[in-house]
Amino acid sequence: MSKDTHVDNPNGVGFFGLVGMVVSSCIGTGVFALTGQLANVASPGAALIAWVVCGLGFLMLALSLANVGSKRPDLDGACAYAEEGFGPFHGFISGWGYWLSAWLGNVGFGTMIAQVLGSDYCLGTIMPGVFSDPATGNPAVVGVVVVSLVLWGITFLVIRGVESAAAFNAIVMVIKIASILLFIAFSCFAFNAGVFTADFWGTAARNATIIAANGVELGSVANQVTQCILIMMWVFIGVEGASVMSGRAKRKSEVGSATIIGLIVLLTLYIGASVIPYGVVDYAELVAAPKPATISVFESLAPGWGGAFISWAIIISVCGSWLSFTMLPAEVSSMMADHGLLPKSWGEVNAKGAPQMALIIVGALTEAFIIIATFAADAYTFAISMCTVTIVVTWAYAAAYQVKLSRERGESGQVLVGILALVFQVVGVLFTGWGFLLLACLGYIPGFLFYRKALSESGQSMGKGQMICAVVIALLGIISIPMTFAGIIPVF
């Protein structure tokens, strides 16, 4: 049997399911919030440039994941690349960052569900202020209860079996893509080139609108592009989904192509959903629209039902991504336990083959942070920012391993691909999210304790170099605490 048809796991996730992991993991809250978020920081011209930059950056990452996945199908996905290339401690840093990212993203999903339920186009009309705070958008008490029910319902579904949950996720993917395509179609029909091109670079009328609304100016085109980067990086979280699930893929050879196809689908949907609305409604209305702005835009396009339709589409979309982001951290922590990077108990599976204890830990932490988020100034922005900076650690390690592996094989073209992917990830975070990256270092402190316990189970201990790195990371996290209370890192 040829390599292309070789079946690694007869009962595993097929090609469509792998593409579904990439697309459904990425399409959650972000695509529906993009229009309003980008409008508040950039003109249509700058937004288009930012999409080109991000598209190329993530194409380099996708090509890196595809190349490494095809050359080393024996490795357990993106988080294993750091361990293979740079040693166990780096494998832990990468895997723990991915684990933190996934469940922090779930906090953002929960916050968005509460916001949408409380909007005027959903249940907010008959129960105002019940699901979310009208001023901050943070979950109210009833909102926390509803979100908690969703959280544990999804956790129970995954505990029942990862492969069956992946199949369900593929169905949800079809529903969410159809909803976004409908929004794009309506937007294209109502598109007005004159509205779209008016002050295309944001140096006149659009800039005056932003100053009046937010008290700050758009700034130069370069500044606008920079402000877009972190927002856009958030919506690509999950692009490594097929790679992380490679251990459960029916054919590991399909992981790379599934990742690239998923990225192409995502770029098409994101650009259409976020840029076309610049030519649909007046810029001032776009800036002032309640979050997520997609709801208001679609209501203007389809009065009477558009807002309600897109509201429920968001809820379904979020549940699909939440399902993926529940599967992925549990899969990674189980893999890390198998590799001796976490205690063996983290890798124990139930009769359905699901890492039950790891899933319960993820659920409990998500629950705790959803409650804490009710006290934040902007729970959604905080959650997605933390989610983004932590997963960049995993992405950067994957790109670095692409460089190392390609150099060893003498593949100069692949080396360049890896370097470009690595530079994009590192520069993107340092320019836009360095404060949140410092705060994320706090999350590594308990992780180091679990890492030490895992080493002790196999009769090992942390070396001097590992201890120094752990102390430096912990100190950086501690430094972030006073910076947070001083408002330098915007949380409360």
Side-chain angles (χ1 to χ4, degrees), residues 226 229 233 392 420-434:
T226 301
I229 297 299
M233 290 180 79
V392 166
L420 291 174
L422 179 60
V423 169
F424 172 73
Q425 301 300 330
V426 174
V427 172
V429 165
L430 292 181
F431 265 88
T432 61
W434 63 268

Side-chain angles (χ1 to χ4, degrees), residues 42 53 88 124 131 142 176 184 199 218 226 232 243 250 270 279 304 385 395 409-410 421 430-431 436 459 491:
V53 173
F131 296 99
V142 175
K176 67 173 69 176
I184 294 174
D199 192 19
L218 289 174
T226 301
M232 292 178 176
S243 175
K250 182 177 291 185
Y270 288 162
S385 298
W395 287 342
R409 291 172 173 262
L430 292 181
F431 265 88
F436 291 109
V491 177

Side-chain angles (χ1 to χ4, degrees), residues 477-488:
I478 293 171
I479 290 172
S480 71
I481 296 176
M483 295 177 70
T484 299
F485 284 103
I488 299 174

Side-chain angles (χ1 to χ4, degrees), residues 101 104-105 107-109 111 234 378-388:
S101 173
L104 283 168
V107 176
F109 296 151
T111 302
W234 152 249
D378 187 338
Y380 178 72
T381 299
F382 170 67
I384 67 172
S385 298
M386 292 295 294
C387 178
T388 302

Side-chain angles (χ1 to χ4, degrees), residues 110 113-114 117 130-132 139-148 370:
I113 286 179
L117 288 174
V130 172
F131 296 99
S132 59
V141 175
V142 175
V144 170
V145 172
V146 172
V147 168
S148 299
I370 286 173

Side-chain angles (χ1 to χ4, degrees), residues 213-236:
N214 301 331
V216 295
E217 62 179 3
L218 289 174
S220 66
V221 172
N223 180 69
Q224 294 175 51
V225 171
T226 301
Q227 294 301 311
C228 290
I229 297 299
L230 191 62
I231 295 172
M232 292 178 176
M233 290 180 79
W234 152 249
V235 299
F236 285 104

